[in-house]
Amino acid sequence: MHSLSRSVRLYRGLSRPVGRTTRPLWASVSRSLVLSSQRRIPEFSSFVARTNTCGELRSSHVGQEVTLCGWIQYRRQNIFLVLRDFHGLVQVVIPQDESAGSVRKTLCEAPLESVVQVSGTVISRPPGQENPKMSTGEIEIKVKTAELLNSCKKLPFEIKDFVKKTEALRMQYRYLDLRSSQMQYNLRLRSQMVMKMREYLCNLHGFVDIETPTLFKRTPGGAKEFLVPSREPGKFYSLPQSPQQFKQLLMVGGFDRYFQVARCYRDEGSRPDRQPEFTQIDIEMSFVDQTGIRSLIEGLLQYSWPQDKDPLATPFPSLTYAEALATYGTDKPDTRFGMEILDVSDVFRNTEIGFLQDALSKPQGTVKAMCVRDGANYFKKKDIESIRSSAADHFNEEVLPVFLKAKRNWNLPVSQFILEEQKLELIRLMGIQEEDVVLLAAGEHRRVCSLLGKLRLECADLLETRGLALRDPALFSFLWVVDFPLFLPTEGNPTELESAHHPFTAPHPSDIHLLHTEPDKVRSQHYDLVLNGSEVGGGSIRIHDAALQRDILTLLKEDQKLLSHLLQALDYGAPPHGGIALGLDRLMCLVTGASSIRDVIAFPKSFRGHDLMSSAPDAVPPEELEPYHIQVTEPAGPAERRLLTQAATRLQS
Amino acid sequence: MHSLSRSVRLYRGLSRPVGRTTRPLWASVSRSLVLSSQRRIPEFSSFVARTNTCGELRSSHVGQEVTLCGWIQYRRQNIFLVLRDFHGLVQVVIPQDESAGSVRKTLCEAPLESVVQVSGTVISRPPGQENPKMSTGEIEIKVKTAELLNSCKKLPFEIKDFVKKTEALRMQYRYLDLRSSQMQYNLRLRSQMVMKMREYLCNLHGFVDIETPTLFKRTPGGAKEFLVPSREPGKFYSLPQSPQQFKQLLMVGGFDRYFQVARCYRDEGSRPDRQPEFTQIDIEMSFVDQTGIRSLIEGLLQYSWPQDKDPLATPFPSLTYAEALATYGTDKPDTRFGMEILDVSDVFRNTEIGFLQDALSKPQGTVKAMCVRDGANYFKKKDIESIRSSAADHFNEEVLPVFLKAKRNWNLPVSQFILEEQKLELIRLMGIQEEDVVLLAAGEHRRVCSLLGKLRLECADLLETRGLALRDPALFSFLWVVDFPLFLPTEGNPTELESAHHPFTAPHPSDIHLLHTEPDKVRSQHYDLVLNGSEVGGGSIRIHDAALQRDILTLLKEDQKLLSHLLQALDYGAPPHGGIALGLDRLMCLVTGASSIRDVIAFPKSFRGHDLMSSAPDAVPPEELEPYHIQVTEPAGPAERRLLTQAATRLQS
């Protein structure tokens, strides 16, 4: 029983049902829709011609006169027709008697995927003809009238879940792709979860939904912000990456519980699985501390969690940034499985193995180990090779696989220099079993943790390829990561510091005294929410003290003029405040088990930022650029070239 | 009793309470917040340090230990302090005994509008010191501890509702302006109404909330669309004016009940009371007709209507476009008052009055009359003059005020040419009373209706200035206007036609046969929702037939390539569909009685499109334009000039 329900969940967790009937997904869509309102089943047939949806008819409806609207999914020998809407499928009996000639003609001649409206009576299927795989399988419709609402031309692909299509084709015909049960499920579930979040925030906890502008001015370091030319020469709006400044200003304005399902923009050029516009559940509160925000979010997710999944247990576990790095080699660990990193420097103080010796002789040098349980059973020899070369190729580091008790022994020659007492100590420390593989790496703490963190995920991928189900897709392991550093060395210039997150993040109260002496040691009041190895949210307690904010901006060498309004606001009775933003696209992607965030967005862009359906972005005639006082610099054609030359001539004369 | 409640409503309808205590508004904010969730009172103190909000404490709380956070509103003789949060005001007693020195110091020295946290006991006020004007007036807080959370510097203006400030100052310090009871009320009510709308759509009627892209490509005739340069030379996204195409594509995709609280963009340069970004409640349904959409919207508004106002009666009345024009001279009539226009051409067939004779001699010539009831009692002579000159100045038309039965007779000399039988006929037709004023105008039907429609509103303004309450601000007169023309003559070229609304609007079924013979006679299936003389919504049944859509685009000479994806979608089994969009900013402005939509938007732009707080839009250094392959054409400074010259030189060489 348990394993069946688990397999249903696993199945539902797949991004695309392949080679199966659509029943389970349609069924789950309608089930969760019913559950969504708890108080009352939503009325799907109000205001329209139909009396019922296709998926809802059961034996209890037998005898009722119904009108249905839908798409022709399937037709069998001009006797039966299967009608589909978002709610499910229903069988319609095509009348065979003379008098129903026009109805028969309509239903038999319409191409598949045509839209029809039928009226008739719900009848029981003849005994033996029930279809238990279909939720409406006990009944069928004895049709009296039928109207072709719209005919369908030959489709570029069939609307069947088992028909595979390339993503490019799906995107080009997104409006057809949206008819798939998977896209219907994903987008309807998204709508429901967001609605539940709103109920939790607005109705249960008094949050105010406030819309903030998206035409704003560029923020310091806002290099990834899209620009929007205005009609004033040389003046541009920018599309902000988040409502960060506005939410803080709302706190100053006395809206002490704000939220918004906010559209945000980030121009990162071509990045797989990122979108130029994305959505975040944006939250800010006054008079709150980290604990308060964490409880709020735990309650929010628990309340809005889909009813067809196991309920979430709260509070979520938490790790400090330092712990996450040391144990999992990353600040967003996938805690659905173990394989933790262990510092074994002390075991190897007297080692004769060169690269371990080397590492330990340096100031921050460490030796770390990671145990792949049962690895010798699942890995092939080439897997071990691939792990070693991955370390060498991507990290320029050596990693030493060691089989301490395994029968299949692919130990490298160098392993013989591990002394027996070191072996015993490792076995003791790590609880090594017979078929376990240990990966040893050495070097500076952060670097070697990071290496083993990446290898941990590679090992997990390999083990799953080899048949070990390591990461249960039905398991949702939320984790808080806290106590991040406030500053990080600037990329390219390690002697300078930049904000690890953003310059409004408050330092940890117990570290403020280090701000000017050892700024790299200052922890922040930033927190990340991690789910199954992905960051799904992040936030912080903000600086509400103008002097401290100025101090930190000075330290960061940021242009304070760009933030003068915010600094001034902090002077005028700003309450202590903090907040968080959840990445809705990423969260929905993990919840639905989709293979890409594009599967939880109705009209996503390709990884190059294109809309393959409408072919946006698009060329714009020069006269439409004129009101904005801009022109294209890369000469795209003779027209632009001519314009540019004319303008320059005018200038020079 | 009735007049009292009416005056409270009138008061609440004012955009800015002047010279009164803030009590009524604070009280109404908290009352409607409580009403908002019906099932359960929202918990405003979860997750934070406070135990209660400032406005909620009553005698029933006496004896409770409470912690409050808020702003210092007022201090009296270092004995009392009034603490404020969004929920209301509460009196805190500053302890006077020696042992409480530090608490006293904190509370007495903090400047007004500083943020403090106080803990103490709720006690009854001494007999006789209760304040019935304050909702917490029966109690006060005997404080034990106090903490200054943030001090406040000298403010640019006092946070008191009766302190008048210019709008520019309010905008510059918007975060302070937001602390006013009016802005708190407006934005909180907006949040609540939208939440109720979502409940109605999502939970009660199975609508799916789907986010559509705002980075799109320009639509035909999209001259008012902001452009967003992409990283591909010469390629631009545009910010759409509405999700029109996407919502139709969602219907094709089988999401047959879609809604979105959609951010939209329109670049109209400087226009008072318009915003470059605005919000609409965007709705689309399949298998629906006009009646269905109208019922849906009536139910939606009824369900979400604020509880402190009279409930809405449904169905809303409706007028055809032709009726609205003939009766009120506009397609968005304010039906809170009468003063209808009447065609009196037949009365004047044999007139000797020149301008009436002239008009009637022309093919479409008419004479129209409008009766200003009691006008002679309220108008001064200069009002009559102002009406006449307004007609002459703005319309280049003559209007003849006639006093048919009035004692105060300001008839113009020309009035003597109105024959006695004509007078009697007018009196009979229009039910003229003693003090009524009749305005006569003549000319082509549409033009003269339009003139009298404008004068109708001018008369209403004048009458209200003179003390007649003509338009009750507590009255909400919704009205549907239907049967619009499908096409209108193109501005500037009256021989060509353009869409009256947009090219996706379906023609009226009974007029389709006129499409090619008399297109100007074709009515559309467009409908507008009008409230108190403002258009607050509009929509239509759309064309779902690809051939008809192509036909109409050809007729309109639109570039079909730009819409090829939509045309193709209609070919692939598009269901019949229709929808509507409500202008949320305008609606909230009317509901709250605000004087401008800027008062229902947290961070609005000035009428020139500026953010006066952050000074957006702003200059951008040339190097930040480079990734987008654009440059500024209007030489804003030497840097741009140099760049342009260099580029041109490179091209020429």
Side-chain angles (χ1 to χ4, degrees):
Chain A
M1 185 60 206
H2 177 262
S3 77
L4 175 67
S5 79
R6 174 60 53 99
S7 83
V8 168
R9 257 183 282 120
L10 278 173
Y11 164 68
R12 205 170 287 141
L14 291 173
S15 70
R16 212 125 271 281
V18 177
R20 291 188 56 164
T21 73
T22 59
R23 200 190 58 84
L25 269 168
W26 289 118
S28 78
V29 168
S30 51
R31 183 170 57 250
S32 48
L33 283 173
V34 169
L35 289 169
S36 79
S37 87
Q38 287 178 337
R39 298 147 219 120
R40 184 174 153 181
I41 295 168
E43 175 54 77
F44 290 100
S45 299
S46 46
F47 315 117
V48 291
R50 67 171 171 241
T51 58
N52 296 83
T53 58
C54 294
E56 70 177 292
L57 297 173
R58 300 287 183 278
S59 323
S60 59
H61 295 89
V62 165
Q64 286 188 15
E65 299 294 309
V66 297
T67 298
L68 305 175
C69 299
W71 286 261
I72 301 177
Q73 171 91 351
Y74 183 75
R75 190 163 35 218
R76 188 147 36 100
Q77 296 161 329
N78 286 350
I79 296 172
F80 296 114
L81 176 150
V82 174
L83 199 63
R84 187 198 73 231
D85 65 14
F86 65 93
H87 223 83
L89 303 166
V90 69
Q91 180 161 292
V92 170
V93 187
I94 302 175
Q96 302 299 317
D97 45 314
E98 283 282 304
S99 64
S102 85
V103 171
R104 195 168 66 244
K105 191 169 144 68
T106 302
L107 295 180
C108 291
E109 291 183 0
L112 293 190
E113 290 301 313
S114 293
V115 192
V116 294
Q117 176 172 326
V118 299
S119 294
T121 316
V122 182
I123 57 172
S124 290
R125 295 202 188 182
Q129 292 191 24
E130 299 89 352
N131 181 352
K133 287 189 189 162
M134 202 168 164
S135 56
T136 61
E138 294 174 344
I139 58 96
E140 56 195 13
I141 308 296
K142 189 175 174 223
V143 71
K144 285 183 191 131
T145 62
E147 190 188 346
L148 176 67
L149 298 177
N150 211 349
S151 187
C152 183
K153 287 203 175 162
K154 176 149 175 44
L155 292 172
F157 53 79
E158 277 188 89
I159 314 291
K160 301 255 162 41
D161 289 327
F162 57 82
V163 174
K164 288 203 180 185
K165 328 122 241 235
T166 64
E167 193 175 44
L169 195 67
R170 288 178 54 207
M171 289 303 155
Q172 188 185 345
Y173 298 99
R174 185 59 157 183
Y175 43 88
L176 297 178
D177 186 49
L178 289 176
R179 291 185 194 166
S180 70
S181 58
Q182 189 64 59
M183 284 307 302
Q184 291 277 331
Y185 176 76
N186 291 357
L187 295 183
R188 285 172 190 273
L189 183 66
R190 179 177 175 138
S191 167
Q192 280 169 29
M193 267 191 80
V194 172
M195 187 63 198
K196 296 291 280 180
M197 289 183 185
R198 291 178 181 280
E199 286 173 18
Y200 178 85
L201 292 167
C202 203
N203 293 349
L204 301 189
H205 293 286
F207 279 75
V208 187
D209 180 6
I210 300 179
E211 299 172 68
T212 59
T214 56
L215 293 174
F216 193 44
K217 80 175 209 175
R218 82 194 167 94
T219 41
K224 288 170 178 170
E225 287 175 356
F226 285 103
L227 293 172
V228 181
S230 79
R231 285 171 189 258
E232 284 173 73
K235 297 274 179 97
F236 295 80
Y237 297 105
S238 90
L239 300 175
Q241 291 187 48
S242 87
Q244 183 61 37
Q245 289 186 48
F246 292 112
K247 66 203 267 194
Q248 293 195 244
L249 292 169
L250 285 170
M251 294 305 111
V252 182
F255 285 95
D256 72 353
R257 295 174 162 231
Y258 145 90
F259 86 102
Q260 184 183 193
V261 181
R263 190 70 59 91
C264 304
Y265 300 85
R266 196 187 294 137
D267 179 19
E268 301 187 291
S270 304
R271 289 268 304 257
D273 228 28
R274 288 282 182 108
Q275 289 283 312
E277 52 186 319
F278 57 98
T279 303
Q280 63 189 38
I281 309 290
D282 199 51
I283 291 172
E284 196 81 8
M285 290 173 87
S286 296
F287 314 115
V288 76
D289 60 11
Q290 287 200 44
T291 318
I293 297 280
R294 278 158 63 174
S295 305
L296 167 79
I297 294 299
E298 286 161 358
L300 175 79
L301 286 166
Q302 211 168 32
Y303 184 84
S304 61
W305 202 243
Q307 310 249 358
D308 61 357
K309 307 204 185 301
D310 290 338
L312 295 181
T314 59
F316 301 153
S318 105
L319 285 177
T320 66
Y321 170 79
E323 288 166 347
L325 186 71
T327 316
Y328 299 100
T330 172
D331 58 359
K332 36 179 191 281
D334 187 340
T335 47
R336 282 175 300 176
F337 66 105
M339 222 189 280
E340 287 96 349
I341 301 165
L342 200 69
D343 192 305
V344 293
S345 304
D346 288 343
V347 179
F348 291 99
R349 288 289 167 214
N350 306 313
T351 187
E352 288 172 32
I353 300 173
F355 84 104
L356 302 183
Q357 220 174 30
D358 263 16
L360 286 173
S361 68
K362 283 172 192 151
Q364 306 280 323
T366 59
V367 179
K368 310 272 183 185
M370 189 170 78
C371 174
V372 186
R373 302 267 166 233
D374 238 13
N377 269 339
Y378 286 93
F379 284 153
K380 300 185 175 174
K381 196 162 185 185
K382 68 170 183 184
D383 295 334
I384 301 290
E385 288 311 316
S386 124
I387 290 166
R388 290 189 64 212
S389 63
S390 168
D393 296 351
H394 300 308
F395 293 89
N396 197 23
E397 292 282 0
E398 215 166 325
V399 66
L400 180 62
V402 189
F403 298 76
L404 291 168
K405 297 175 79 174
K407 283 172 234 140
R408 276 161 95 185
N409 188 328
W410 297 316
N411 273 336
L412 300 175
V414 67
S415 308
Q416 64 187 331
F417 294 104
I418 306 182
L419 307 175
E420 198 54 33
E421 60 187 78
Q422 291 170 336
K423 282 186 188 164
L424 289 172
E425 183 61 7
L426 279 181
I427 288 170
R428 193 189 65 81
L429 275 175
M430 308 182 75
I432 306 295
Q433 302 293 316
E434 280 205 351
E435 298 302 324
D436 294 354
V437 180
V438 172
L439 298 180
L440 281 180
E444 183 266 326
H445 171 72
R446 171 186 287 264
R447 193 174 157 85
V448 69
C449 284
S450 184
L451 164 69
L452 285 175
K454 293 269 170 40
L455 294 182
R456 179 174 174 264
L457 295 179
E458 273 192 47
C459 287
D461 288 345
L462 281 167
L463 290 171
E464 289 186 344
T465 315
R466 300 287 170 242
L468 180 70
L470 200 62
R471 292 166 295 193
D472 181 353
L475 198 65
F476 294 91
S477 287
F478 282 98
L479 171 78
W480 291 106
V481 180
V482 299
D483 288 355
F484 280 81
L486 185 61
F487 304 111
L488 287 177
T490 305
E491 240 177 271
N493 183 358
T495 62
E496 289 203 348
L497 292 176
E498 62 184 12
S499 293
H501 293 95
H502 58 58
F504 316 115
T505 311
H508 206 290
S510 46
D511 293 353
I512 288 190
H513 66 285
L514 301 171
L515 260 181
H516 292 280
T517 51
E518 294 180 284
D520 56 314
K521 294 257 189 323
V522 178
R523 289 165 304 162
S524 74
Q525 296 196 62
H526 179 95
Y527 30 84
D528 266 355
L529 181 63
V530 174
L531 170 58
N532 294 356
S534 289
E535 183 196 323
V536 292
S540 58
I541 302 301
R542 328 294 184 186
I543 299 168
H544 66 279
D545 180 79
L548 179 59
Q549 184 66 76
R550 288 199 177 89
D551 203 12
I552 283 183
L553 288 173
T554 308
L555 213 142
L556 290 167
K557 297 176 183 156
E558 289 282 7
D559 184 357
Q560 302 196 16
K561 258 183 298 177
L562 283 170
L563 289 171
S564 57
H565 52 286
L566 187 68
L567 288 165
Q568 209 166 24
L570 295 183
D571 271 334
Y572 292 140
H577 60 286
I580 193 164
L582 301 182
L584 183 62
D585 307 301
R586 173 74 47 210
L587 179 66
M588 287 314 305
C589 181
L590 292 165
V591 169
T592 60
S595 56
S596 145
I597 57 167
R598 291 184 293 281
D599 284 351
V600 296
I601 296 173
F603 298 99
K605 303 280 191 296
S606 75
F607 84 101
R608 291 190 58 206
H610 288 191
D611 177 330
L612 299 181
M613 182 183 66
S614 74
S615 68
D618 205 3
V620 165
E623 64 270 21
E624 292 194 13
L625 299 180
E626 262 172 47
Y628 299 109
H629 312 280
I630 55 164
Q631 63 184 18
V632 175
T633 50
E634 219 83 327
E640 284 78 9
R641 191 185 296 256
R642 198 166 55 242
L643 241 172
L644 188 56
T645 314
Q646 282 166 1
T649 316
R650 209 171 55 230
L651 270 173
Q652 285 161 340
S653 64
Chain B
M1 184 60 206
H2 177 262
S3 76
L4 175 67
S5 78
R6 175 59 53 98
S7 83
V8 168
R9 257 184 281 120
L10 280 172
Y11 165 68
R12 204 170 289 140
L14 293 173
S15 70
R16 214 125 268 283
V18 177
R20 291 189 55 165
T21 73
T22 59
R23 199 189 59 82
L25 271 166
W26 289 118
S28 78
V29 168
S30 51
R31 182 169 57 250
S32 48
L33 284 172
V34 170
L35 288 170
S36 77
S37 87
Q38 287 181 338
R39 298 151 218 119
R40 185 174 154 182
I41 295 169
E43 176 54 76
F44 291 100
S45 300
S46 45
F47 314 118
V48 291
R50 68 172 169 239
T51 58
N52 296 82
T53 57
C54 294
E56 69 177 290
L57 297 173
R58 300 287 181 277
S59 320
S60 60
H61 295 88
V62 166
Q64 286 188 14
E65 299 294 308
V66 297
T67 298
L68 305 174
C69 299
W71 285 261
I72 302 177
Q73 172 89 352
Y74 183 74
R75 190 164 37 219
R76 190 150 32 102
Q77 296 162 328
N78 287 349
I79 296 172
F80 297 113
L81 176 150
V82 173
L83 199 64
R84 187 198 73 232
D85 65 14
F86 66 92
H87 224 84
L89 304 166
V90 69
Q91 179 160 293
V92 170
V93 186
I94 304 175
Q96 302 298 317
D97 46 315
E98 283 282 302
S99 63
S102 84
V103 171
R104 195 168 66 243
K105 191 170 145 69
T106 301
L107 295 180
C108 293
E109 290 183 1
L112 294 190
E113 290 301 314
S114 294
V115 191
V116 293
Q117 176 172 326
V118 298
S119 294
T121 316
V122 182
I123 56 171
S124 291
R125 294 201 189 182
Q129 293 191 24
E130 299 89 353
N131 181 353
K133 289 189 188 161
M134 203 168 164
S135 56
T136 62
E138 295 175 344
I139 58 95
E140 56 195 10
I141 309 296
K142 192 179 169 217
V143 71
K144 284 182 192 132
T145 63
E147 190 187 347
L148 176 67
L149 299 176
N150 210 349
S151 187
C152 182
K153 287 203 174 164
K154 176 147 177 44
L155 293 171
F157 53 79
E158 276 188 89
I159 316 291
K160 301 257 163 38
D161 289 328
F162 57 81
V163 174
K164 289 202 181 184
K165 334 126 237 220
T166 64
E167 194 175 44
L169 195 67
R170 288 178 52 207
M171 290 303 155
Q172 188 185 345
Y173 297 98
R174 186 57 158 184
Y175 43 87
L176 296 178
D177 185 48
L178 289 176
R179 290 185 194 166
S180 70
S181 57
Q182 188 66 57
M183 284 307 302
Q184 290 277 330
Y185 176 77
N186 290 356
L187 295 183
R188 286 172 190 272
L189 183 66
R190 179 177 174 138
S191 168
Q192 282 170 27
M193 266 191 80
V194 171
M195 187 64 199
K196 297 290 280 180
M197 289 182 184
R198 293 178 178 279
E199 287 173 17
Y200 178 86
L201 292 167
C202 202
N203 294 348
L204 301 188
H205 293 285
F207 280 75
V208 187
D209 179 5
I210 300 180
E211 298 172 68
T212 58
T214 56
L215 293 174
F216 193 44
K217 82 176 207 174
R218 80 196 169 95
T219 40
K224 287 171 181 170
E225 287 175 357
F226 284 103
L227 294 172
V228 182
S230 79
R231 285 172 189 258
E232 284 173 74
K235 298 272 178 97
F236 295 80
Y237 298 104
S238 90
L239 300 175
Q241 291 186 48
S242 88
Q244 183 62 35
Q245 290 186 47
F246 292 112
K247 68 203 264 193
Q248 293 196 244
L249 292 168
L250 285 170
M251 294 304 111
V252 181
F255 285 94
D256 72 352
R257 294 173 164 232
Y258 145 89
F259 87 102
Q260 184 184 193
V261 181
R263 190 71 58 92
C264 303
Y265 300 85
R266 197 187 293 138
D267 180 18
E268 301 187 292
S270 305
R271 291 265 308 254
D273 229 27
R274 288 281 183 109
Q275 288 284 311
E277 52 186 319
F278 57 98
T279 303
Q280 62 188 40
I281 310 289
D282 199 51
I283 292 173
E284 196 82 8
M285 291 174 87
S286 296
F287 313 116
V288 77
D289 60 10
Q290 286 199 47
T291 318
I293 297 280
R294 279 157 62 173
S295 303
L296 167 79
I297 294 300
E298 286 161 359
L300 174 78
L301 286 166
Q302 211 167 32
Y303 185 84
S304 61
W305 202 244
Q307 310 249 358
D308 61 358
K309 307 205 184 302
D310 290 337
L312 295 181
T314 59
F316 300 153
S318 104
L319 286 177
T320 66
Y321 171 78
E323 287 166 348
L325 186 71
T327 317
Y328 298 100
T330 172
D331 58 0
K332 36 180 190 281
D334 188 339
T335 48
R336 283 176 299 177
F337 66 105
M339 222 191 280
E340 288 96 349
I341 301 164
L342 200 70
D343 192 304
V344 292
S345 304
D346 289 342
V347 179
F348 290 99
R349 289 288 166 216
N350 306 314
T351 187
E352 288 173 32
I353 300 173
F355 84 105
L356 302 183
Q357 221 175 28
D358 263 18
L360 286 173
S361 68
K362 283 173 191 150
Q364 306 281 323
T366 59
V367 179
K368 310 272 186 189
M370 190 169 77
C371 173
V372 185
R373 302 267 167 234
D374 238 13
N377 268 340
Y378 286 93
F379 284 153
K380 301 186 173 169
K381 195 162 187 188
K382 67 171 184 186
D383 294 334
I384 301 291
E385 287 312 314
S386 124
I387 290 166
R388 290 189 63 213
S389 63
S390 168
D393 296 350
H394 301 306
F395 294 88
N396 196 23
E397 293 280 2
E398 216 167 325
V399 65
L400 180 62
V402 190
F403 298 77
L404 291 165
K405 296 176 81 175
K407 282 171 236 144
R408 276 164 93 184
N409 189 328
W410 295 316
N411 275 335
L412 300 174
V414 67
S415 307
Q416 64 187 327
F417 295 104
I418 306 181
L419 307 174
E420 198 55 33
E421 60 186 79
Q422 291 170 337
K423 280 186 188 166
L424 289 172
E425 182 62 6
L426 279 181
I427 288 169
R428 194 188 63 78
L429 275 175
M430 307 183 75
I432 305 295
Q433 302 293 313
E434 281 206 349
E435 298 302 325
D436 295 353
V437 180
V438 172
L439 298 180
L440 282 180
E444 184 266 325
H445 171 71
R446 171 186 285 265
R447 192 174 157 83
V448 68
C449 284
S450 185
L451 164 68
L452 286 175
K454 292 270 173 40
L455 293 183
R456 179 175 173 264
L457 295 179
E458 274 192 44
C459 288
D461 288 344
L462 281 168
L463 289 171
E464 289 186 344
T465 315
R466 301 286 168 242
L468 181 70
L470 201 61
R471 293 166 294 194
D472 181 353
L475 198 65
F476 294 91
S477 287
F478 282 98
L479 171 78
W480 292 106
V481 179
V482 299
D483 287 355
F484 280 81
L486 186 60
F487 304 111
L488 287 177
T490 305
E491 238 177 272
N493 182 359
T495 63
E496 291 204 344
L497 291 176
E498 62 183 12
S499 293
H501 294 94
H502 58 58
F504 316 117
T505 311
H508 205 291
S510 45
D511 293 352
I512 288 190
H513 65 286
L514 300 172
L515 260 182
H516 292 280
T517 51
E518 295 180 282
D520 56 314
K521 294 255 190 321
V522 177
R523 288 165 305 163
S524 74
Q525 295 197 61
H526 180 94
Y527 29 85
D528 266 354
L529 181 63
V530 174
L531 170 58
N532 294 356
S534 288
E535 182 196 324
V536 292
S540 59
I541 302 303
R542 327 295 184 185
I543 299 168
H544 66 278
D545 180 78
L548 179 60
Q549 183 67 75
R550 286 198 179 88
D551 203 13
I552 283 183
L553 287 173
T554 308
L555 214 141
L556 288 167
K557 299 178 180 154
E558 288 283 7
D559 184 358
Q560 301 196 16
K561 259 184 298 176
L562 282 171
L563 288 172
S564 57
H565 52 286
L566 187 67
L567 288 165
Q568 209 167 23
L570 294 183
D571 271 333
Y572 292 141
H577 60 286
I580 192 164
L582 301 183
L584 183 62
D585 307 301
R586 173 76 47 211
L587 179 65
M588 288 312 307
C589 181
L590 292 166
V591 169
T592 59
S595 55
S596 144
I597 59 167
R598 292 185 293 281
D599 283 351
V600 296
I601 295 173
F603 298 99
K605 303 279 193 295
S606 74
F607 83 101
R608 292 191 57 207
H610 288 191
D611 178 330
L612 299 181
M613 183 184 65
S614 74
S615 68
D618 206 0
V620 165
E623 64 270 20
E624 292 193 14
L625 299 180
E626 263 172 45
Y628 299 109
H629 312 279
I630 55 166
Q631 62 184 19
V632 175
T633 51
E634 220 81 329
E640 285 77 9
R641 191 185 295 255
R642 198 166 55 242
L643 241 171
L644 189 56
T645 313
Q646 281 167 2
T649 315
R650 207 170 57 230
L651 270 174
Q652 286 160 343
S653 65

